[in-house]
């Protein structure tokens, strides 16, 4: 693979822990790398783990699907230390989160490592394995030493010329053909699919979506909602075809028993909307792939750019922040839509209104909208905070989460992060790992991504899935292979972070409870049943729940590296003030008056004698 020859770059090497990042980090775990003269030299000769336990690993990111065939290992090159690994396991992955251990039948395969630190030991795999990532997991080591090793990975990249083995319908679909294909998928997988429409286009064409879930049509507690949309620019057609291919693929894989797809379907409610702008698509399709040009069909029938037709909530939020209105007068999330936008005279496309209604109705957690004309993933904010500035880094409070989400798609795409690929036009996004903050590319007020983040709980990103907006039909199979793994990996990210329920003391779910993460100035809310999902990167977080009429509750929740959200439930109690208000409302806002009941002896003791009665009379006369 090229660890020894430096063909594998430093940033492709990762480790669970390291003894010292600069001296014994993963980048030093290359076969035959030599140490300096001194034990603390900057260039020591191995990767050494920060702890000695069986949970440590050294990882190589091949950055593309690769046929791995074997591993060569050495111990640490050092004049002073004796460290080597005596046995290890090998794991492979396509997304760096879900790992498969190489096996010998039903048992994990244990490879015999080194007996001393310099002689390389080769282990060939019984069967070649195809994956993008590979990990070496030490299981035992020299008993008077530590976990240290140098490694070379044997294998070769899968050829770039791709022919797919998926039996799918690789063609451009007209509106009628699209509806028919969705119906075919629904009939083939009736138990896990449902077709519905979210509204109509300007010319009256229904905007059809398909839901893929083990219980279609119903929101289930603990099951996050995910969406892919495509075609807001009608002439960017690859996204449309990718979603039609994705729904076919998921149906087929589910029926064939694929564990990965079955887990996705059983644990996620997935919505695919393949054509947001069918009117624009019809215009581009009429003249065809080569003649549609750069802009024909981009806009809706009434000339609106749908993707940038949403209300500008950024300015409302930023003005409130400047005036220090948050959180007293306005919250930092669920920013309300201004009244002018909702009036009938505002320039809002029918398709946009349908999208807004859809996004408000379903508690989406994560979404991706597929576009074309570039190879890059963009994330909010899409508008620069400084007025009059066309390009400026404008991060959200969840910038680290958005960057990971963007990278999860781009890094799994076959071309987006390939530094050797030709740039689409003028900008080399591969240098930025195939991702970019939207505002630092080109500012755009009222984008779908920013609206989704500021008005709903949903984190939305844009995937520009190909240089050619309207690729030829013969290229669809290759484009499917370019994007298939990315589409699945990004979908799986909806299960990152924390999730849970917010209950009252009677076990009833509380809707619209606010979930606050300390240090992140963007909150989310619980859904109608009291369930919530909060996307977060691995780490430890202090979470506070607030709900009107209830006492706040806080706890620390830890997010791990494995896919699967951490369960973090809350039970909150009513405040005394809310109980008093409830009682007053129940009795027509009159305080409850109970007669004072005293024991007989106490009443007799308090009964006034003759003298006290005379004093009472005197007081009454005065």
């Amino acid at each position: 693979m090229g660890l020894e020859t430096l063909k594998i770059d430093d940033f492709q090497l990762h480790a669970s822990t390291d003894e010292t990042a600069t001296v014994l980090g993963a980048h030093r775990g290359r076969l035959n790398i030599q140490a300096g003269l001194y034990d603390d030299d900057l260039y020591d000769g191995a990767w050494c783990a920060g702890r000695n336990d069986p949970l440590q690993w050294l990882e190589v990111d091949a950055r593309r699907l690769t046929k791995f065939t074997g591993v060569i290992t050495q111990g640490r090159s050092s004049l002073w230390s004796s460290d080597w690994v005596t046995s290890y396991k090998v794991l492979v992955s396509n997304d760096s989160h879900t790992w498969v251990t190489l096996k010998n039948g039903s048992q994990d395969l244990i490879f015999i490592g080194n007996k001393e630190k310099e002689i390389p030991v080769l282990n060939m795999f019984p069967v070649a394995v195809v994956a993008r990532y590979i990990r070496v997991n030490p299981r035992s080591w020299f008993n008077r030493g530590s976990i240290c090793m140098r490694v070379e990975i044997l294998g070769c990249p899968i050829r770039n010329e791709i022919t797919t083995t998926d039996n799918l319908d690789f063609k451009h679909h007209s509106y009628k053909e699209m509806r028919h294909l969705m119906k075919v998928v629904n009939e083939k997988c009736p138990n896990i699919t449902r077709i519905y429409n979210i509204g109509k286009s300007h010319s009256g064409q229904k905007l059809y979506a398909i839901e893929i879930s083990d219980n279609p049509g119903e929101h289930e507690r603990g099951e996050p909602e995910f969406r892919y949309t495509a075609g807001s620019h009608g002439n960017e057609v690859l996204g449309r075809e990718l979603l039609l291919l994705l729904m076919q693929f998921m149906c087929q894989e589910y029926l064939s028993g694929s564990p990965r797809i079955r887990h996705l379907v059983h644990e996620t409610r997935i919505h695919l909307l393949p054509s947001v702008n069918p009117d624009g698509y019809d215009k581009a399709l009429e003249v065809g792939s080569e003649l549609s040009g750069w802009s024909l069909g981009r806009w809706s029938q009434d000339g609106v750019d749908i993707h940038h037709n949403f209300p500008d909530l950024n300015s409302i939020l930023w003005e409130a922040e400047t005036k220090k209105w948050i959180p007293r007068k306005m919250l930092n999330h669920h920013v309300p839509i201004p009244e002018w936008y909702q009036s009938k005279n505002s320039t809002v496309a029918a398709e946009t209104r349908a999208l807004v209604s859809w996004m408000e109705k379903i508690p989406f957690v994560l979404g991706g909208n597929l576009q074309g004309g570039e190879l890059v993933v963009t994330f909010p904010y899409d508008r620069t905070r400084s007025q009059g500035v066309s390009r400026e880094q404008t991060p959200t409070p969840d910038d680290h989460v958005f960057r990971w989400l963007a990278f999860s798609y781009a890094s799994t795409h076959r071309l987006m992060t390939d530094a050797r690929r030709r740039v689409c036009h003028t900008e080399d996004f591969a240098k930025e790992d195939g991702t970019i903050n939207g505002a630092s590319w080109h500012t755009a007020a009222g984008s779908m991504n920013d609206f989704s983040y500021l008005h709903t709980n949903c984190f939305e990103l844009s995937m520009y899935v190909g240089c050619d907006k309207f690729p030829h039909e013969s290229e669809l199979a290759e484009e499917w292979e370019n994007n298939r793994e990315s589409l699945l990996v990004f979908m799986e990210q909806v299960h990152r972070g924390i999730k849970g329920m917010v209950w009252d003391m009677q076990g009833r779910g509380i809707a619209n409870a606010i979930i606050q993460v300390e240090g992140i100035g963007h909150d989310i809310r619980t859904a109608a049943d009291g369930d919530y999902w909060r996307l977060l990167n691995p780490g430890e977080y202090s979470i506070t729940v607030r709900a009107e009429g209830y006492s706040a509750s806080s706890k620390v929740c830890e997010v791990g590296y494995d896919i699967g959200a951490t369960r973090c439930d809350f039970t909150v109690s009513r405040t005394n003030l809310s109980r008093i208000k409830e009682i007053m409302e129940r009795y027509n806002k009159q305080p409850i008056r109970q007669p004072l009941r005293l024991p007989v002896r106490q009443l007799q003791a308090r009964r006034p004698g003759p003298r006290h009665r005379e004093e009472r009379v005197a007081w009454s006369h005065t």
Side-chain angles (χ1 to χ4, degrees):
M1 288 293 297
L3 274 76
E4 184 177 0
T5 63
L6 303 181
K7 182 179 178 181
I8 297 292
D9 291 324
D10 284 353
F11 64 79
Q12 293 176 254
L13 300 174
H14 309 278
S16 51
T17 60
D18 48 64
E19 190 173 311
T20 50
T22 56
V23 179
L24 297 164
H27 64 294
R28 299 297 293 169
R30 302 173 183 272
L31 197 71
N32 288 320
I33 199 167
Q34 297 300 298
L37 292 176
Y38 303 102
D39 193 37
D40 61 349
D41 192 280
L42 180 62
Y43 301 106
D44 213 333
W47 159 68
C48 291
R51 300 189 300 271
N52 290 324
D53 62 50
L55 301 177
Q56 306 307 307
W57 45 260
L58 177 66
E59 175 183 310
V60 179
D61 176 4
R63 296 180 66 80
R64 65 178 63 195
L65 289 179
T66 299
K67 183 183 289 186
F68 296 115
T69 56
V71 174
I72 303 173
T73 60
Q74 286 174 308
R76 175 180 180 180
S77 173
S78 172
L79 295 175
W80 319 104
S81 303
S82 295
D83 304 301
W84 60 84
V85 170
T86 57
S87 68
Y88 58 92
K89 293 181 181 180
V90 174
L91 301 86
V92 294
S93 172
N94 285 326
D95 61 1
S96 82
H97 289 282
T98 303
W99 292 88
V100 176
T101 304
L102 271 58
K103 294 186 178 295
N104 181 13
S106 61
Q107 301 295 318
D108 290 352
L109 192 55
I110 304 291
F111 294 95
I112 302 302
N114 299 90
K115 296 181 179 179
E116 53 84 66
K117 57 188 177 185
E118 285 298 333
I119 299 175
V121 174
L122 166 66
N123 277 296
M124 299 297 293
F125 302 157
V127 178
V129 290
V130 176
R132 171 177 168 175
Y133 301 87
I134 186 168
R135 278 182 180 176
V136 178
N137 167 220
R139 306 299 296 176
S140 61
W141 46 93
F142 179 49
N143 59 9
R144 291 194 297 275
S146 302
I147 296 178
C148 295
M149 63 192 315
R150 292 174 285 171
V151 172
E152 180 62 85
I153 305 296
L154 305 182
C156 56
I158 301 297
R159 293 173 59 195
N160 287 336
E161 297 79 14
I162 284 184
T163 55
T164 184
T165 57
D166 295 328
N167 182 25
L168 306 175
D169 192 14
F170 294 104
K171 59 169 288 186
H172 288 298
H173 294 81
S174 67
Y175 181 77
K176 182 178 180 180
E177 291 168 334
M178 178 189 75
R179 286 190 307 169
H180 176 71
L181 179 60
M182 295 174 75
K183 184 178 179 181
V184 168
V185 172
N186 177 238
E187 291 173 347
K188 190 173 182 179
C189 293
N191 295 329
I192 62 165
T193 62
R194 174 180 72 100
I195 299 173
Y196 65 100
N197 76 81
I198 69 166
K200 293 182 179 180
S201 70
H202 184 270
S203 66
Q205 298 189 89
K206 292 181 179 179
L207 307 180
Y208 286 106
I210 191 167
E211 176 192 340
I212 305 176
S213 167
D214 61 342
N215 193 12
E218 293 186 28
H219 170 76
E220 297 182 76
R221 285 183 176 180
E223 191 170 285
E225 308 264 0
F226 175 91
R227 70 166 178 258
Y228 270 131
T229 60
S232 58
H233 298 150
N235 64 329
E236 296 169 10
V237 306
L238 179 55
R240 172 192 182 110
E241 298 306 330
L242 287 176
L243 293 191
L244 294 176
L245 292 167
L246 180 62
M247 64 181 70
Q248 297 174 65
F249 177 78
M250 293 191 71
C251 173
Q252 291 181 11
E253 290 292 296
Y254 186 88
L255 293 177
S256 68
S258 164
R260 183 184 190 185
I261 299 303
R262 280 184 167 267
H263 182 266
L264 260 176
V265 171
H266 292 162
E267 300 297 327
T268 321
R269 192 177 178 211
I270 301 161
H271 304 258
L272 308 179
L273 179 64
S275 186
V276 173
N277 182 6
D279 299 348
Y281 175 83
D282 289 345
K283 290 182 180 179
L285 181 65
E286 186 177 357
V287 296
S289 172
E290 280 71 36
L291 300 178
S292 59
W294 187 253
S295 59
L296 180 64
R298 174 184 176 90
W299 298 280
S300 67
Q301 186 71 22
D302 52 345
V304 175
D305 183 335
I306 296 171
H307 186 72
H308 300 294
N309 189 220
F310 292 81
D312 173 17
L313 304 184
N314 303 60
S315 298
I316 297 173
L317 175 69
W318 294 338
E319 182 181 2
E321 289 177 347
T322 301
K323 294 181 177 180
K324 302 187 183 305
W325 285 355
I326 295 175
R328 291 183 300 105
K329 293 185 177 181
M330 199 177 96
L331 299 175
N332 62 14
H333 66 293
H334 281 231
V335 179
I337 298 174
E339 292 184 9
W340 65 262
Y341 182 87
Q342 302 183 63
S343 68
K344 292 184 179 180
N345 297 327
S346 60
T347 308
V348 181
E351 296 88 344
T352 314
R353 294 189 188 276
L355 285 170
V356 169
S357 176
W358 186 46
M359 293 159 74
E360 290 179 330
K361 181 179 179 181
I362 299 176
F364 292 112
V365 179
L366 178 62
N369 57 84
L370 307 185
Q371 302 191 53
E374 259 300 350
L375 274 172
V376 68
V377 180
T378 70
F379 51 90
Y381 288 122
D382 285 342
R383 179 172 187 184
T384 59
R385 186 156 186 161
S386 302
Q387 292 187 359
V389 178
S390 59
R391 293 188 178 193
E392 178 184 63
Q393 281 280 349
T394 311
T396 68
D398 285 288
D399 189 57
H400 291 299
V401 178
F402 272 117
R403 287 182 182 276
W404 166 253
L405 293 171
F407 184 72
S408 72
Y409 193 99
S411 64
T412 321
H413 191 280
R414 284 187 58 251
L415 299 176
M416 276 190 190
T417 56
D418 189 346
R420 297 170 300 176
R421 72 170 178 86
R422 183 193 181 280
V423 300
C424 289
H425 303 287
T426 59
E427 301 191 60
D428 186 2
F429 293 112
K431 294 189 301 184
E432 306 294 331
D433 285 329
T435 69
I436 193 169
N437 170 251
S440 66
W441 184 17
H442 53 71
T443 188
S447 79
M448 181 176 177
N449 294 348
D450 290 1
F451 173 83
S452 179
Y453 179 67
L454 293 175
H455 186 65
T456 73
N457 287 345
C458 185
F459 287 51
E460 185 93 13
L461 295 84
S462 292
M463 292 79 177
Y464 292 78
V465 292
C467 299
D468 189 351
K469 290 186 175 185
F470 201 142
H472 193 272
E473 198 166 272
S474 62
E475 300 174 277
L476 292 179
E478 181 174 354
E479 292 293 357
W480 166 245
E481 290 293 330
N482 287 344
N483 287 276
R484 178 183 58 191
E485 186 64 22
S486 299
L487 290 166
L488 296 174
V489 166
F490 183 75
M491 204 183 306
E492 290 167 337
Q493 304 314 305
V494 76
H495 295 283
R496 292 178 63 86
I498 60 174
K499 69 176 181 180
M501 287 290 304
V502 178
W503 286 295
D504 64 14
M505 300 301 289
Q506 286 72 45
R508 296 171 298 199
I510 300 175
N512 292 318
I514 296 175
I515 313 296
Q516 297 177 317
V517 182
E518 184 178 347
I520 301 179
H522 180 81
D523 306 332
I524 64 161
R525 297 187 185 184
T526 55
D529 293 335
D531 47 347
Y532 78 91
W533 304 262
R534 211 319 176 172
L535 297 178
L536 292 167
N537 284 344
E540 197 173 80
Y541 299 91
S542 176
I543 312 296
T544 300
V545 168
R546 302 180 189 279
E548 186 176 354
Y550 294 85
S551 299
S553 177
S554 300
K555 66 172 61 174
V556 173
C557 304
E558 185 174 355
V559 178
Y561 284 87
D562 295 333
I563 282 289
T566 301
R567 186 87 192 195
C568 198
D569 296 325
F570 292 84
T571 300
V572 293
S573 59
R574 298 288 297 274
T575 62
N576 290 334
L577 180 60
S578 69
R579 290 196 189 100
I580 292 171
K581 287 182 177 179
E582 181 181 353
I583 292 170
M584 291 182 70
E585 288 175 1
R586 185 181 300 173
Y587 292 95
N588 199 22
K589 295 188 178 182
Q590 295 297 319
I592 300 174
R593 297 183 178 181
Q594 296 287 348
L596 183 63
R597 299 182 182 275
L598 295 175
V600 175
R601 291 180 180 177
Q602 194 171 351
L603 286 172
Q604 291 174 346
R606 295 185 60 178
R607 188 175 297 157
R611 179 183 173 188
H612 291 97
R613 281 196 291 270
E614 292 172 2
E615 291 176 353
R616 271 184 159 184
V617 172
W619 271 105
S620 63
H621 286 301
T622 57

